[in-house]
Amino acid sequence: MAHDPRREDYQRLSLRFAEELDKGDPADAARAFASFGRRFAQDRDGLPQTDADRAFHLVAMASDVVDRRLPFASDEQAPDLIKRGKELLEEALRLDPACHDATRMLSSSRTASIDERYRFLSDHADEVRASCEQARDQALGELSDERAALAADIAMRPYWRWLASLAEEALICGRNRVAIDVSERLLASDPRDTSDVRFTLAYALAKLEDLQGWLALTKRYAALASGRPADDAWTLLAGASLAFHNGNPMVARTGIEKLLRRYPGGAMTLIRQAELPDGEFARLHVAPYSEDELILAVSEGIVLLQEGTDRSGRGTFGAWVAREAARIDPKAAREAMAAREGGQQS
């Protein structure tokens, strides 16, 4: 998960600091840069920066508030955190009206529905692309070598995050073909798939029951810079869904078994199928193959799991997944039942 706002904040200012040091003595510059990490941690505001850099720092702060703290806040704490997040993003836009991350994140609260937010993101995608490409071209013209490559990459990230959000909103809205088209646009712009949009693409293909498209996607994994094979939770869950709906329960069962081998102890997550708020800055930055990653994949996979209605009240595929997970890990099933009964009693 490459879109870490704190890391990007550091990268932005390190580039700016290096540019300033270039104007002085090379020996002094080397000594000064050696202390950059300490200065960033202790006196960030004292470092050279533009209004755009300051605006992004506010976005990073807002991301910490709404993506890290808000999901775990009490009902009493939540309103203040929401207010604080909005204030930070609004201040970012006052500093830099072209801060596309702030505009995108604020659109969640400024649009009345998921459909309206989808339309907003769709309507402004080309505008954001043109703005980011202009910033990229400027960076390539002013810098050289590794600095130019990093600056160009940073310049395009707001557009990549915009498209990743658009693909996810399209998937939630049931616009599966649009989600596929947007995902492919993002992969064309960023073949390394910094945003991990292939996960959204896998779910959209599963929603359309496009087995050949899903198989083709798994074969493309080797070309992605992430280096991860096609054994992440999103891809495996999408494959199990395709097999389930195509009348191949044994293949679907094998997919769930493989998923739980890749994510040991994950049966409880498959049984509970909790839905979490999406990350506002980007998909949350978590460790590959961790429990947190499985929780994210299952939450985003609600679009597959809740399809149809089972006698239990779940979606047909979701109910089947829960039963399979319980079969594979009876202890997790007992713990889930105990937790559910405890919640009902309270």
Side-chain angles (χ1 to χ4, degrees):
M1 311 295 185
H3 291 295
D4 183 338
R6 288 170 291 189
R7 179 171 177 266
E8 188 165 328
D9 189 27
Y10 181 93
Q11 290 175 323
R12 284 170 175 264
L13 286 203
S14 66
L15 271 175
R16 193 77 57 198
F17 190 58
E19 290 174 39
E20 290 296 315
L21 293 179
D22 285 346
K23 301 172 184 177
D25 180 78
D28 291 340
R31 286 192 295 271
F33 197 80
S35 67
F36 174 78
R38 177 182 55 77
R39 291 188 60 184
F40 181 85
Q42 297 178 1
D43 183 28
R44 183 195 179 284
D45 291 341
L47 291 169
Q49 55 194 293
T50 65
D51 282 345
D53 297 326
R54 295 184 181 91
F56 187 84
H57 180 60
L58 294 171
V59 167
M61 293 172 63
S63 177
D64 183 67
V65 170
V66 300
D67 289 341
R68 297 287 179 181
R69 296 167 56 189
L70 183 58
F72 306 102
S74 65
D75 291 342
E76 293 75 20
Q77 295 170 324
D80 288 340
L81 291 174
I82 293 171
K83 180 182 178 183
R84 176 61 176 157
K86 288 181 180 178
E87 289 173 346
L88 289 166
L89 294 172
E90 288 167 352
E91 185 180 350
L93 283 174
R94 286 193 292 271
L95 279 171
D96 177 21
C99 184
H100 304 302
D101 287 308
T103 299
R104 177 178 54 82
M105 293 169 72
L106 278 170
S107 70
S108 290
S109 59
R110 291 178 172 177
T111 49
S113 65
I114 294 173
D115 280 316
E116 187 176 331
R117 185 171 191 242
Y118 160 77
R119 288 194 295 272
F120 173 83
L121 294 174
S122 179
D123 289 347
H124 294 278
D126 288 342
E127 171 190 333
V128 173
R129 179 187 51 123
S131 173
C132 291
E133 287 179 348
Q134 181 179 8
R136 176 201 63 193
D137 294 344
Q138 181 178 347
L140 290 173
E142 295 176 351
L143 301 173
S144 60
D145 303 327
E146 293 180 359
R147 289 187 197 172
L150 176 58
D153 188 85
I154 289 173
M156 291 302 296
R157 288 178 196 171
Y159 174 59
W160 297 340
R161 289 189 282 265
W162 193 284
L163 285 189
S165 293
L166 176 57
E168 183 64 26
E169 293 298 324
L171 179 67
I172 295 170
C173 292
R175 294 176 168 88
N176 302 308
R177 296 192 185 280
V178 173
I180 291 170
D181 290 343
V182 173
S183 297
E184 292 293 357
R185 283 166 57 191
L186 178 46
L187 290 172
S189 179
D190 177 29
R192 300 172 305 158
D193 193 19
T194 306
S195 306
D196 291 336
V197 76
R198 64 191 182 281
F199 299 157
T200 305
L201 178 55
Y203 282 168
L205 291 166
K207 287 284 287 183
L208 290 175
E209 300 187 21
D210 185 352
L211 176 59
Q212 294 307 312
W214 177 81
L215 289 170
L217 174 63
T218 63
K219 293 176 182 178
R220 294 166 63 185
Y221 267 55
L224 300 174
S226 66
R228 294 181 65 178
D231 64 350
D232 55 81
W234 287 267
T235 305
L236 293 175
L237 194 60
S241 173
L242 283 161
F244 177 82
H245 289 294
N246 284 332
N248 295 313
M250 292 301 296
V251 175
R253 184 170 290 114
T254 298
I256 297 301
E257 291 171 349
K258 183 177 180 181
L259 190 155
L260 289 178
R261 285 196 300 271
R262 206 65 186 88
Y263 295 83
M268 176 73 83
T269 300
L270 294 185
I271 293 168
R272 294 182 62 187
Q273 298 175 18
E275 187 170 9
L276 303 176
D278 293 330
E280 291 293 343
F281 179 75
R283 181 180 280 118
L284 293 181
H285 185 78
V286 295
Y289 305 116
S290 64
E291 179 183 4
D292 287 339
E293 183 174 82
L294 179 59
I295 290 170
L296 278 180
V298 170
S299 176
E300 293 179 18
I302 293 297
V303 293
L304 301 177
L305 296 165
Q306 290 186 349
E307 210 170 21
T309 304
D310 183 81
R311 287 179 297 178
S312 66
R314 296 179 183 238
T316 52
F317 179 58
W320 179 85
V321 167
R323 289 195 298 271
E324 286 301 308
R327 177 187 64 81
I328 295 168
D329 189 344
K331 181 181 177 182
R334 291 192 296 271
E335 291 174 353
M337 178 65 73
R340 189 157 51 242
E341 290 175 350
Q344 291 172 351
Q345 290 173 4
S346 63

PDB file of all heavy atoms in Angstrom, residues 181-193:
ATOM      1  N   ASP A 181     -12.990   0.254 -16.430  1.00  0.00           N
ATOM      2  CA  ASP A 181     -12.387   1.243 -17.335  1.00  0.00           C
ATOM      3  C   ASP A 181     -11.485   2.210 -16.576  1.00  0.00           C
ATOM      4  O   ASP A 181     -10.373   2.527 -17.027  1.00  0.00           O
ATOM      5  CB  ASP A 181     -13.487   2.020 -18.063  1.00  0.00           C
ATOM      6  CG  ASP A 181     -14.230   1.167 -19.079  1.00  0.00           C
ATOM      7  OD1 ASP A 181     -13.706   0.098 -19.459  1.00  0.00           O
ATOM      8  OD2 ASP A 181     -15.339   1.568 -19.486  1.00  0.00           O
ATOM      9  N   VAL A 182     -11.957   2.691 -15.423  1.00  0.00           N
ATOM     10  CA  VAL A 182     -11.164   3.637 -14.628  1.00  0.00           C
ATOM     11  C   VAL A 182      -9.907   2.957 -14.097  1.00  0.00           C
ATOM     12  O   VAL A 182      -8.822   3.540 -14.098  1.00  0.00           O
ATOM     13  CB  VAL A 182     -12.011   4.213 -13.476  1.00  0.00           C
ATOM     14  CG1 VAL A 182     -11.149   5.057 -12.545  1.00  0.00           C
ATOM     15  CG2 VAL A 182     -13.156   5.058 -14.029  1.00  0.00           C
ATOM     16  N   SER A 183     -10.043   1.721 -13.656  1.00  0.00           N
ATOM     17  CA  SER A 183      -8.876   0.972 -13.177  1.00  0.00           C
ATOM     18  C   SER A 183      -7.829   0.841 -14.275  1.00  0.00           C
ATOM     19  O   SER A 183      -6.622   0.994 -14.032  1.00  0.00           O
ATOM     20  CB  SER A 183      -9.299  -0.419 -12.687  1.00  0.00           C
ATOM     21  OG  SER A 183     -10.186  -0.333 -11.586  1.00  0.00           O
ATOM     22  N   GLU A 184      -8.279   0.562 -15.494  1.00  0.00           N
ATOM     23  CA  GLU A 184      -7.337   0.423 -16.604  1.00  0.00           C
ATOM     24  C   GLU A 184      -6.689   1.767 -16.951  1.00  0.00           C
ATOM     25  O   GLU A 184      -5.511   1.825 -17.331  1.00  0.00           O
ATOM     26  CB  GLU A 184      -8.048  -0.161 -17.823  1.00  0.00           C
ATOM     27  CG  GLU A 184      -8.479  -1.611 -17.652  1.00  0.00           C
ATOM     28  CD  GLU A 184      -7.316  -2.590 -17.540  1.00  0.00           C
ATOM     29  OE1 GLU A 184      -6.138  -2.169 -17.643  1.00  0.00           O
ATOM     30  OE2 GLU A 184      -7.572  -3.795 -17.368  1.00  0.00           O
ATOM     31  N   ARG A 185      -7.449   2.859 -16.815  1.00  0.00           N
ATOM     32  CA  ARG A 185      -6.869   4.189 -17.032  1.00  0.00           C
ATOM     33  C   ARG A 185      -5.761   4.447 -16.016  1.00  0.00           C
ATOM     34  O   ARG A 185      -4.705   4.988 -16.356  1.00  0.00           O
ATOM     35  CB  ARG A 185      -7.939   5.266 -16.913  1.00  0.00           C
ATOM     36  CG  ARG A 185      -8.848   5.388 -18.125  1.00  0.00           C
ATOM     37  CD  ARG A 185     -10.085   6.212 -17.805  1.00  0.00           C
ATOM     38  NE  ARG A 185      -9.778   7.540 -17.313  1.00  0.00           N
ATOM     39  CZ  ARG A 185     -10.703   8.362 -16.768  1.00  0.00           C
ATOM     40  NH1 ARG A 185     -11.954   7.952 -16.646  1.00  0.00           N
ATOM     41  NH2 ARG A 185     -10.347   9.556 -16.361  1.00  0.00           N
ATOM     42  N   LEU A 186      -6.014   4.059 -14.794  1.00  0.00           N
ATOM     43  CA  LEU A 186      -5.007   4.260 -13.758  1.00  0.00           C
ATOM     44  C   LEU A 186      -3.772   3.400 -14.017  1.00  0.00           C
ATOM     45  O   LEU A 186      -2.633   3.865 -13.879  1.00  0.00           O
ATOM     46  CB  LEU A 186      -5.613   3.947 -12.384  1.00  0.00           C
ATOM     47  CG  LEU A 186      -4.701   4.059 -11.163  1.00  0.00           C
ATOM     48  CD1 LEU A 186      -3.870   5.332 -11.183  1.00  0.00           C
ATOM     49  CD2 LEU A 186      -5.540   3.997  -9.898  1.00  0.00           C
ATOM     50  N   LEU A 187      -3.973   2.162 -14.392  1.00  0.00           N
ATOM     51  CA  LEU A 187      -2.838   1.282 -14.686  1.00  0.00           C
ATOM     52  C   LEU A 187      -2.045   1.768 -15.901  1.00  0.00           C
ATOM     53  O   LEU A 187      -0.831   1.586 -15.965  1.00  0.00           O
ATOM     54  CB  LEU A 187      -3.318  -0.146 -14.904  1.00  0.00           C
ATOM     55  CG  LEU A 187      -3.831  -0.867 -13.654  1.00  0.00           C
ATOM     56  CD1 LEU A 187      -4.450  -2.202 -14.023  1.00  0.00           C
ATOM     57  CD2 LEU A 187      -2.708  -1.056 -12.650  1.00  0.00           C
ATOM     58  N   ALA A 188      -2.731   2.404 -16.857  1.00  0.00           N
ATOM     59  CA  ALA A 188      -2.027   2.962 -18.021  1.00  0.00           C
ATOM     60  C   ALA A 188      -1.157   4.139 -17.599  1.00  0.00           C
ATOM     61  O   ALA A 188      -0.052   4.338 -18.131  1.00  0.00           O
ATOM     62  CB  ALA A 188      -3.034   3.394 -19.082  1.00  0.00           C
ATOM     63  N   SER A 189      -1.632   4.936 -16.644  1.00  0.00           N
ATOM     64  CA  SER A 189      -0.875   6.081 -16.155  1.00  0.00           C
ATOM     65  C   SER A 189       0.224   5.662 -15.194  1.00  0.00           C
ATOM     66  O   SER A 189       1.303   6.256 -15.163  1.00  0.00           O
ATOM     67  CB  SER A 189      -1.820   7.069 -15.455  1.00  0.00           C
ATOM     68  OG  SER A 189      -1.116   8.187 -14.954  1.00  0.00           O
ATOM     69  N   ASP A 190      -0.046   4.621 -14.401  1.00  0.00           N
ATOM     70  CA  ASP A 190       0.916   4.139 -13.408  1.00  0.00           C
ATOM     71  C   ASP A 190       1.010   2.615 -13.495  1.00  0.00           C
ATOM     72  O   ASP A 190       0.359   1.907 -12.730  1.00  0.00           O
ATOM     73  CB  ASP A 190       0.491   4.581 -12.005  1.00  0.00           C
ATOM     74  CG  ASP A 190       1.428   4.043 -10.930  1.00  0.00           C
ATOM     75  OD1 ASP A 190       2.616   3.834 -11.237  1.00  0.00           O
ATOM     76  OD2 ASP A 190       0.964   3.819  -9.791  1.00  0.00           O
ATOM     77  N   PRO A 191       1.797   2.096 -14.437  1.00  0.00           N
ATOM     78  CA  PRO A 191       1.885   0.632 -14.621  1.00  0.00           C
ATOM     79  C   PRO A 191       2.394  -0.111 -13.389  1.00  0.00           C
ATOM     80  O   PRO A 191       2.204  -1.321 -13.284  1.00  0.00           O
ATOM     81  CB  PRO A 191       2.864   0.488 -15.798  1.00  0.00           C
ATOM     82  CG  PRO A 191       2.825   1.799 -16.505  1.00  0.00           C
ATOM     83  CD  PRO A 191       2.598   2.829 -15.432  1.00  0.00           C
ATOM     84  N   ARG A 192       3.042   0.595 -12.455  1.00  0.00           N
ATOM     85  CA  ARG A 192       3.508  -0.063 -11.225  1.00  0.00           C
ATOM     86  C   ARG A 192       2.363  -0.286 -10.241  1.00  0.00           C
ATOM     87  O   ARG A 192       2.524  -0.967  -9.243  1.00  0.00           O
ATOM     88  CB  ARG A 192       4.590   0.781 -10.561  1.00  0.00           C
ATOM     89  CG  ARG A 192       5.821   1.020 -11.432  1.00  0.00           C
ATOM     90  CD  ARG A 192       6.738   2.026 -10.764  1.00  0.00           C
ATOM     91  NE  ARG A 192       6.023   3.260 -10.453  1.00  0.00           N
ATOM     92  CZ  ARG A 192       6.406   4.148  -9.529  1.00  0.00           C
ATOM     93  NH1 ARG A 192       7.502   3.915  -8.825  1.00  0.00           N
ATOM     94  NH2 ARG A 192       5.721   5.235  -9.332  1.00  0.00           N
ATOM     95  N   ASP A 193       1.220   0.319 -10.502  1.00  0.00           N
ATOM     96  CA  ASP A 193       0.040   0.184  -9.651  1.00  0.00           C
ATOM     97  C   ASP A 193       0.344   0.594  -8.206  1.00  0.00           C
ATOM     98  O   ASP A 193       0.119  -0.154  -7.258  1.00  0.00           O
ATOM     99  CB  ASP A 193      -0.528  -1.239  -9.696  1.00  0.00           C
ATOM    100  CG  ASP A 193      -1.931  -1.302  -9.082  1.00  0.00           C
ATOM    101  OD1 ASP A 193      -2.575  -0.247  -8.965  1.00  0.00           O
ATOM    102  OD2 ASP A 193      -2.368  -2.405  -8.725  1.00  0.00           O
TER     103      ASP A 193
END
